[in-house]
Amino acid sequence: MCGIIGVVGASDTLATLLEGLERLEYRGYDSAGVALSGAGGTWRARAAAGTESVLALKLECEDAPTGFRTGLGHTRWATHGAPEAINAHPHLDCAGNIAIIHNGIIENHGELQEELESRGHVFTSVTDSEVLAHLIEEARAAGQDLTEAVRTSLLTVRGAFALAALDATEPDVIVAARRVSPLVVGTAPGVTYLASDVPAILDKASAFYAVNDDEIVRLGPEGFRAIDLEGAPVRLRPLSIDWDLETAQKGGYDDFMTKEINEQPDALRATLLDRRHRDNVITFDEMSLSDDELRDVTRIVLVAAGTSYHAALVAKYAIERWARVSCEVDISSEYRYRDPVVEIGTLVIGVSQSGETIDTIQATREAQRRGAHVVAVSNVVDSSLAREANAVIYTRAGLEVSVASTKAFVAQVAALELFALRLAQLRGTLPERDVEALYLGLQAVGAQVAVALSRRDDVTAVADALAGARDFFFLGRHVGFPTALEGALKFKELTYLHAEGYPAGELKHGPLALIEPGVVVVVVATDPSVHEKILSNISEVKARGASVVAVATDDDETISSVADFILRVPATEPMFSPMIDIVPLQIFAYATARGLHHNVDRPRNLAKTVTVE
Ligand code: M6R
């Protein structure tokens, strides 16, 4: 999510860092910072200015001292702590010699900070990352060199990281490490580079190497050497890179939408990380509503627009099933004007990727005016929605660039379902062993999404076979219904073709009149509890000449006798299925749109964030 860059041995260290940060801004940009280091000490500059943060950083760097050959840079997409300059990286140790930058989440930062503070360390930010600077400081004070200090520090942290550290008392060295979050090393004669993504160093390095999970790399001007967490030497994997800058920013994919579809397992992993504390209690650190306040909730209203509305619809099923709280979902622009009832005990949840959608902000303002507690579910830290709400849950999908929302949807469903489990825990509506099983099942969804992603070619083949069709219906029952709505929304916004999402059982009450030869009906058929009914619905549309595409689980043997095309997905707990079933539908919409030569990242007439009513 954050972008990181490092350089050792350069004559133009600061310029290299600032240029690299500009090229990383597509990863997130709420603040930025650099640290330069040499025998004379460590110099740092940081700035927070939203989309202009690197520009603001450049101003901060106008009086930077010269002659430094080693430096680190970071552009931040906040996960812990507001996007303010004090939380911008690099973070320093107490003496100001060690600087660290970090992308990821340190799960046990709370307990580590407590221990470090009890030993006299002073923290200056509200981030999970700063603990790394102080852990390394202690290890250096115990006589370890920087590489060993980073290695032993990492033995105590849990979570995800791509991190880099420098220390003015060990000049011309950067030590970096990775677990989950990406990290690449680049080399050129006399200079060694480090980056979260290739674009940052694309025109600087001539050879590139991937750092694998739990590997530590020591970079010097002459090159690098790598070890594993036990200290044994390892070889980094060379990368063959022949991308131009634009391709590199898209991670080598043709467009941001493909990149973001493929990032869904990571978005899930990040959103679910660090959500359960001691005694298996599900916890949202950033959420300030007390357990008592949550226990007293008697009714939940979710308000949202577009894709976020569909994620909210999925959440309704989970909240009612698991927590037994009455729940309704409203389109934001409707809620505000319908004179809503807000009673004591009503909790309103505003769901928004951007946190800036004016319809959703106005809806939650209306709810607050009527006395409701409001929780924001936002992908952007400190968004307007998050700032105005009484409490917030952050999805951590990372910056979403493509107008068509993809990874934000799966992250929202995961966060809201986890919230439903927390409510169930508080209200005692599920046995603890069921909470445990569901929690573990949720953690496994990312891997199942990865399997669905691996079947991309099968989906593209179906889209190609249906290339001439112009009318599409998307049907589902239970949580398959919001999945069908989301599949239809993706399809219409990308292809500009008529696509309607419908509850499968409602078809016979009117829309069935539209079914005729040439119409394509896409059916989400993965939920065993409604499977027979879905098969009947398929028969109804088949009898009227429609072509049927079914999203079906790997173990479903009955589906092949009724569907013309099958998009297979791994079976899962039905409540989790929208996060998996949406994957082939995203790819189906994408492939059809590409076949029609549409710009998939920027569909006509649409904006990424809608800030007008
Ligand atoms: O930022 P938000 O989640 O509040 O945005 C809501 C909708 O504008 C958004 O989901 C829109 O429908 C997308 N283009 C769907 O792909």
Side-chain angles (χ1 to χ4, degrees):
M1 280 169 274
C2 307
I4 73 179
I5 179 169
V7 56
V8 192
S11 53
D12 55 351
T13 305
L14 182 58
T16 301
L17 296 176
L18 292 173
E19 213 177 296
L21 290 180
E22 261 171 347
R23 291 173 167 208
L24 287 175
E25 278 191 307
Y26 67 93
R27 283 187 72 89
Y29 39 63
D30 59 51
S31 56
V34 290
L36 304 170
S37 190
T42 294
W43 180 87
R44 170 177 72 165
R46 299 181 295 174
T51 52
E52 303 297 327
S53 56
V54 176
L55 202 65
L57 179 64
K58 279 184 173 172
L59 293 174
E60 294 288 321
C61 289
E62 270 177 357
D63 300 326
T66 54
F68 287 110
R69 286 159 44 85
T70 305
L72 298 174
H74 187 272
T75 176
R76 180 167 185 251
W77 175 259
T79 54
H80 280 79
E84 293 164 0
I86 56 151
N87 292 330
H89 300 217
H91 295 292
L92 303 181
D93 69 330
C94 297
N97 284 322
I98 296 168
I100 68 98
I101 52 176
H102 167 230
N103 172 20
I105 295 161
I106 304 298
E107 285 185 36
N108 54 337
H109 67 97
E111 44 202 271
L112 289 172
Q113 181 166 343
E114 251 174 55
E115 288 165 17
L116 286 158
E117 282 176 335
S118 73
R119 294 197 290 270
H121 290 264
V122 177
F123 281 70
T124 56
S125 74
V126 189
T127 65
D128 55 322
S129 308
E130 193 182 341
V131 291
L132 294 165
H134 298 280
L135 286 171
I136 295 167
E137 179 182 21
E138 283 202 344
R140 293 280 290 131
Q144 297 175 8
D145 69 10
L146 188 58
T147 312
E148 188 59 5
V150 169
R151 189 184 76 79
T152 54
S153 298
L154 290 183
L155 297 177
T156 65
V157 304
R158 292 197 310 270
F161 47 78
L163 69 92
L166 53 72
D167 183 347
T169 64
E170 194 174 333
D172 281 346
V173 173
I174 288 176
V175 177
R178 169 202 169 148
R179 182 182 297 157
V180 181
S181 306
L183 198 60
V184 289
V185 168
T187 56
V191 192
T192 310
Y193 302 91
L194 174 80
S196 51
D197 311 76
V198 170
I201 53 173
L202 185 66
D203 61 341
K204 302 282 182 192
S206 46
F208 300 86
Y209 304 84
V211 182
N212 295 313
D213 276 354
D214 290 330
E215 289 178 348
I216 298 163
V217 198
R218 179 190 186 278
L219 290 82
E222 72 298 337
F224 63 88
R225 56 190 164 76
I227 55 171
D228 63 19
L229 269 186
E230 277 73 52
V234 291
R235 288 171 72 85
L236 297 192
R237 180 168 45 92
L239 291 171
S240 144
I241 303 282
D242 54 3
W243 302 336
D244 58 20
L245 180 60
E246 202 189 327
T247 314
Q249 287 184 330
K250 292 170 185 162
Y253 295 110
D254 289 346
D255 38 69
F256 280 106
M257 186 176 176
T258 309
K259 175 173 178 277
E260 288 159 12
I261 286 175
N262 281 287
E263 283 171 348
Q264 291 182 111
D266 289 342
L268 283 168
R269 188 155 44 171
T271 299
L272 296 172
L273 204 65
D274 192 19
R275 299 300 199 184
R276 200 166 69 157
H277 287 185
R278 294 178 190 113
D279 307 326
N280 292 345
V281 170
I282 293 166
T283 315
F284 295 91
D285 277 348
E286 68 273 37
M287 193 166 93
S288 51
L289 282 185
S290 69
D291 287 354
D292 283 341
E293 283 170 314
L294 285 175
R295 225 177 261 118
D296 289 347
V297 167
T298 53
R299 177 172 162 252
I300 292 179
V301 181
L302 293 124
V303 290
T307 290
S308 300
Y309 171 70
H310 301 148
L313 283 174
V314 176
K316 172 186 163 71
Y317 290 84
I319 290 169
E320 292 197 335
R321 166 76 57 86
W322 297 336
R324 308 308 299 159
V325 184
S326 160
C327 181
E328 53 192 275
V329 187
D330 217 332
I331 300 261
S332 303
S333 54
E334 287 300 313
Y335 180 82
R336 183 186 175 196
Y337 295 107
R338 72 169 170 80
D339 197 8
V341 175
V342 173
E343 303 144 322
I344 294 171
T346 301
L347 179 71
V348 173
I349 305 180
V351 186
S352 172
Q353 186 283 130
S354 60
E356 301 298 341
T357 298
I358 194 69
D359 289 332
T360 304
I361 291 173
Q362 295 288 29
T364 51
R365 279 181 188 155
E366 181 62 27
Q368 272 177 324
R369 205 176 61 74
R370 291 171 184 251
H373 272 323
V374 167
V375 175
V377 174
S378 168
N379 194 40
V380 178
V381 172
D382 235 23
S383 61
S384 304
L385 185 71
R387 276 200 310 272
E388 291 185 20
N390 304 89
V392 63
I393 295 174
Y394 287 122
T395 51
R396 302 176 189 139
L399 183 69
E400 199 178 61
V401 175
S402 178
V403 167
S405 192
T406 52
K407 60 179 179 170
F409 174 76
V410 297
Q412 286 167 338
V413 172
L416 286 164
E417 292 201 340
L418 201 62
F419 177 69
L421 280 181
R422 175 63 192 137
L423 277 182
Q425 263 186 337
L426 280 169
R427 296 165 61 86
T429 46
L430 276 184
E432 201 42 52
R433 66 173 181 282
D434 290 4
V435 175
E436 173 71 5
L438 288 164
Y439 176 82
L440 294 176
L442 195 49
Q443 299 288 341
V445 171
Q448 293 169 312
V449 167
V451 173
L453 285 168
S454 72
R455 297 173 182 173
R456 180 179 195 96
D457 291 350
D458 301 345
V459 185
T460 304
V462 175
D464 289 348
L466 293 167
R470 290 293 173 267
D471 275 309
F472 291 77
F473 277 82
F474 288 71
L475 307 180
R477 281 175 180 260
H478 193 246
V479 287
F481 163 49
T483 310
L485 288 179
E486 175 59 9
L489 176 63
K490 285 297 84 88
F491 198 82
K492 67 184 96 173
E493 71 179 330
L494 292 173
T495 66
Y496 319 151
L497 295 173
H498 168 240
E500 226 167 305
Y502 237 84
E506 188 67 8
L507 201 68
K508 57 186 173 298
H509 297 288
L512 195 57
L514 293 169
I515 305 296
E516 59 185 7
V519 173
V520 176
V521 180
V522 181
V523 185
V524 180
T526 54
D527 186 342
S529 68
V530 291
H531 197 253
E532 276 183 16
K533 297 268 185 289
I534 278 280
L535 291 182
S536 306
N537 298 135
I538 293 177
S539 302
E540 285 159 15
V541 297
K542 283 286 292 174
R544 283 148 185 97
S547 302
V548 171
V549 180
V551 180
T553 54
D554 288 331
D555 56 0
D556 184 346
E557 286 164 9
T558 51
I559 201 76
S560 46
S561 59
V562 288
D564 300 293
F565 303 93
I566 304 171
L567 306 176
R568 292 283 181 185
V569 287
T572 186
E573 146 68 39
M575 213 63 92
F576 303 151
S577 62
M579 294 176 272
I580 300 164
D581 299 353
I582 196 58
V583 172
L585 300 185
Q586 293 165 341
I587 299 170
F588 184 55
Y590 172 92
T592 308
R594 283 293 295 251
L596 293 164
H597 307 292
H598 293 170
N599 181 335
V600 287
D601 281 340
R602 289 194 196 148
R604 70 183 183 197
N605 306 339
L606 301 178
K608 179 68 186 158
T609 303
V610 184
T611 53
V612 288
E613 279 194 69

